[in-house]
């Protein structure tokens, strides 16, 4: 016997619909979030299960794959299918084109979807808590880096509006010395009054090299002639710059703190040694790749499946005489970003990867296309290493490729 349930979740409740194998609706209920709601869900399912619970399979569709609720569903022994919202939307259009939508209607769509199309869906990954921890800290570390980049761009925009000399003086606006000096002197007048000792001290605290020449260059830029805005407008811009500098400084600190956490969590994972053996994968980048791929040994049936999930493999659209091979448009942004960074880093770490990239460029491919193909190859190598529980070996990885440098064949 199989029971099917659709779970349309919200922040504080879940709309549940239960149906049998024929599509007959057995129950509808709105349940609260948390332990109380989970208890009521078990009771609701139990009403329609025979006494021998081992003979019942409960299949649940829900539009998320994370959080305590999903973890509790998996722990209870239910088969959980995280459904992409776009898939659910397209399925809804199969049964009606009016555009009508409701929470109860969505729970019905999810229940019917897992009843009829579960063979087309991917069940929730059985990743270990260690992999989950790596994913959490690695994602937040990257998120803070992205946030810092946004704040730096805002700072650059503000300085360009009233103090372009600061852009000439400071190459890296997120560097500690630049943030310290902009905090002390966020406007042209105060910047021009900075002393050589103040600038040199900031550079020294930031552990810069060639302090004397850098101090001279910064002072020359800040004290040079420049166009000015009215004092009132300059003061307003200066206030925003000082605040942005403080925000970026705080982000710098927290990025460094989380980087340590990423290293700690990644180092404890049993797959860390295999990931770090791959050319171009260090601690942070390796943690990002591991966190996004997960460590469920049964999640990817083949290297091709892992490549498809990583969106490095192309897709083919064929109709009649027309055939187009293109990159995947829908993908996990974080994973693809990590894989492309990995491919770029491997160019200096692996002769085989470098030769493969050069071969792609020689065919006329652009840089990003060649990198994506290299990333696709590296994902396949990683899958083989994880499957056989072996470390990366340069000769084994690239021996079947022709025209590789002699140094790679001998590695």
């Amino acid at each position: 016997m199989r029971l099917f349930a659709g779970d349309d979740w919200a922040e504080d409740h879940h709309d549940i619909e239960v149906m049998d194998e024929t599509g007959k609706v057995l129950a509808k209920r709105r349940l609260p979030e948390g332990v109380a709601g989970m208890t009521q869900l078990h009771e609701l399912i139990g009403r329609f299960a025979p006494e021998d619970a081992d003979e019942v399979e409960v299949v649940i569709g829900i539009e998320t794959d994370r959080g305590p609720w999903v973890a509790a569903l998996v722990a209870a022994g239910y088969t959980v299918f995280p459904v992409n919202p776009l898939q659910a939307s397209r399925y809804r259009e199969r049964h009606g084109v009016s555009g009508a939508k409701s929470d109860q209607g969505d729970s019905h769509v999810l229940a019917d979807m897992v009843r009829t199309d579960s063979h087309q869906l991917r069940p929730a990954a059985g990743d270990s808590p260690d992999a989950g921890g790596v994913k959490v800290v690695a994602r937040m570390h990257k998120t803070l880096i992205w946030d810092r980049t946004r704040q730096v761009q805002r700072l650059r925009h503000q300085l360009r509006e009233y103090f372009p000399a600061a852009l000439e003086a400071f190459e890296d606006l997120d560097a500690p010395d630049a943030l310290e000096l902009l905090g002390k002197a966020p406007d042209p007048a105060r910047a021009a009054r900075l002393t050589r000792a103040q600038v040199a001290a900031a550079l020294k605290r930031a552990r810069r090299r060639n302090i004397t020449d850098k101090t001279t260059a910064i002072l020359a830029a800040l004290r040079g002639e420049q166009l000015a805005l009215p004092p009132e407008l300059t003061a307003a811009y200066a206030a925003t710059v000082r605040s942005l500098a403080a925000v970026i400084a705080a982000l710098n600190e927290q990025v460094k703190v989380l980087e340590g956490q990423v290293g700690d969590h990644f180092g404890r994972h049993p797959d860390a040694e295999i990931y770090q053996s791959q050319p171009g994968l260090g601690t942070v980048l390796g943690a990002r790749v591991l966190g996004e791929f997960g460590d469920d040994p049964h999640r990817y049936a083949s290297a091709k499946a892992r490549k498809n999930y990583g969106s490095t493999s192309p897709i083919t659209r064929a109709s009649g005489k027309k055939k187009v091979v293109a990159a995947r448009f829908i993908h996990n942004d974080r994973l693809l970003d990590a894989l492309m960074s990995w491919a770029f880093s491997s160019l200096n770490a692996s002769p085989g990867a470098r030769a493969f990239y050069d071969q792609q460029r020689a065919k006329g491919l652009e840089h990003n296309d060649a990198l994506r193909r290299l990333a696709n190859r590296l994902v396949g190598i990683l899958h083989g290493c994880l499957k056989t529980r072996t470390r990366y070996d340069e000769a084994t990885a690239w021996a079947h490729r022709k025209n590789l440098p002699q140094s790679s064949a001998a590695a």
Side-chain angles (χ1 to χ4, degrees):
M1 179 181 180
R2 303 179 77 195
L3 294 175
F4 304 90
D7 184 340
D8 184 67
W9 68 279
E11 184 174 340
D12 59 351
H13 66 268
H14 296 257
D15 283 286
I16 305 293
E17 178 171 310
V18 181
M19 63 174 57
D20 62 17
E21 295 176 276
T22 66
K24 178 182 177 181
V25 177
L26 302 177
K28 295 182 179 181
R29 183 76 60 82
R30 171 166 289 190
L31 306 180
E33 175 63 53
V35 175
M38 186 58 62
T39 301
Q40 294 179 36
L41 176 62
H42 295 332
E43 293 175 352
L44 184 65
I45 296 294
R47 293 179 186 177
F48 307 101
E51 294 182 0
D52 188 357
D54 292 337
E55 297 180 0
V56 178
E57 179 186 6
V58 179
V59 183
I60 298 180
I62 184 171
E63 291 180 333
T64 184
D65 63 349
R66 56 187 179 272
W69 184 272
V70 175
L73 293 176
V74 174
Y78 302 148
T79 302
V80 180
F81 288 96
V83 179
N84 188 297
L86 184 60
Q87 289 179 297
S89 176
R90 294 294 182 267
Y91 188 88
R92 188 186 303 111
E93 292 174 358
R94 289 168 54 182
H95 300 276
V97 296
S98 66
K101 185 181 183 302
S102 66
D103 293 341
Q104 290 187 348
D106 287 346
S107 64
H108 176 78
V109 166
L110 290 170
D112 201 47
M113 190 173 184
V114 295
R115 181 180 69 88
T116 61
D117 292 289
S118 59
H119 61 289
Q120 301 285 359
L121 302 174
R122 185 193 300 268
D127 294 334
S128 69
D130 284 340
V134 171
K135 182 177 182 179
V136 169
V137 293
R139 277 196 167 194
M140 184 51 63
H141 178 257
K142 185 61 178 180
T143 297
L144 291 185
I145 292 176
W146 282 336
D147 287 343
R148 180 177 61 187
T149 300
R150 293 189 188 96
Q151 299 303 330
V152 169
Q153 292 302 322
R154 292 189 179 105
L155 176 60
R156 184 178 299 279
H157 175 76
Q158 294 294 82
L159 291 173
R160 189 174 62 243
E161 294 295 320
Y162 82 107
F163 192 8
L167 299 178
E168 181 183 351
F170 307 117
E171 296 181 358
D172 302 320
L173 292 179
D174 59 349
D177 52 308
L179 297 173
E180 179 182 342
L181 294 174
L182 285 174
K184 290 180 178 178
D187 58 72
R190 277 181 282 187
R193 293 195 297 268
L194 287 172
T195 66
R196 176 173 289 273
Q198 287 176 310
V199 175
L203 292 173
K204 186 176 181 180
R205 281 189 287 271
R207 297 183 179 180
R208 294 285 191 175
R209 297 180 179 179
N210 199 10
I211 291 178
T212 301
D213 291 343
K214 282 185 170 62
T215 299
T216 301
I218 291 174
L219 289 176
L222 295 178
R223 294 173 179 176
E225 292 185 1
Q226 54 185 301
L227 299 176
L229 294 177
E232 296 80 6
L233 191 54
T234 297
Y237 274 117
T240 64
V241 163
R242 179 173 284 167
S243 295
L244 286 171
V247 170
I248 296 170
L251 285 172
N252 280 340
E253 179 181 356
Q254 295 307 313
V255 165
K256 187 175 181 180
V257 170
L258 268 183
E259 184 175 340
Q261 291 294 318
V262 170
D264 291 343
H265 283 78
F266 182 60
R268 292 195 296 266
H269 196 282
D271 292 344
E273 184 178 357
I274 295 176
Y275 274 87
Q276 288 186 301
S277 72
Q278 309 298 312
L281 271 189
T283 298
V284 173
L285 193 53
R288 290 176 57 198
V289 176
L290 187 154
E292 297 303 328
F293 271 137
D295 64 353
D296 184 350
H298 307 295
R299 183 173 187 178
Y300 307 103
S302 64
K304 186 177 186 301
R306 189 182 290 270
K307 292 175 181 179
N308 291 345
Y309 183 76
S311 301
T312 55
S313 61
I315 57 173
T316 301
R317 296 187 178 93
S319 178
K321 296 182 179 181
K322 185 177 180 180
K323 181 178 180 179
V324 177
V325 179
R328 294 176 182 266
F329 178 73
I330 299 176
H331 54 257
N332 180 333
D333 291 341
R334 291 176 181 271
L335 177 55
L336 186 59
D337 176 78
L339 294 178
M340 293 294 281
S341 298
W342 174 19
F344 184 76
S345 298
S346 71
L347 296 179
N348 292 327
S350 166
R354 180 80 230 189
F356 181 87
Y357 171 83
D358 290 341
Q359 288 175 356
Q360 304 309 310
R361 293 303 303 272
K363 294 177 182 178
L365 294 181
E366 296 294 333
H367 171 70
N368 283 340
D369 287 339
L371 269 189
R372 183 181 55 78
R373 293 194 179 191
L374 175 56
N376 194 53
R377 174 61 188 151
L378 291 174
V379 170
I381 295 172
L382 172 64
H383 182 83
C385 290
L386 291 171
K387 184 177 181 180
T388 59
R389 308 307 300 171
T390 56
R391 291 168 56 87
Y392 173 86
D393 178 75
E394 183 77 11
T396 303
W398 304 101
H400 67 293
R401 288 283 173 179
K402 297 179 179 180
N403 302 322
L404 290 181
Q406 295 298 320
S407 58
S408 71

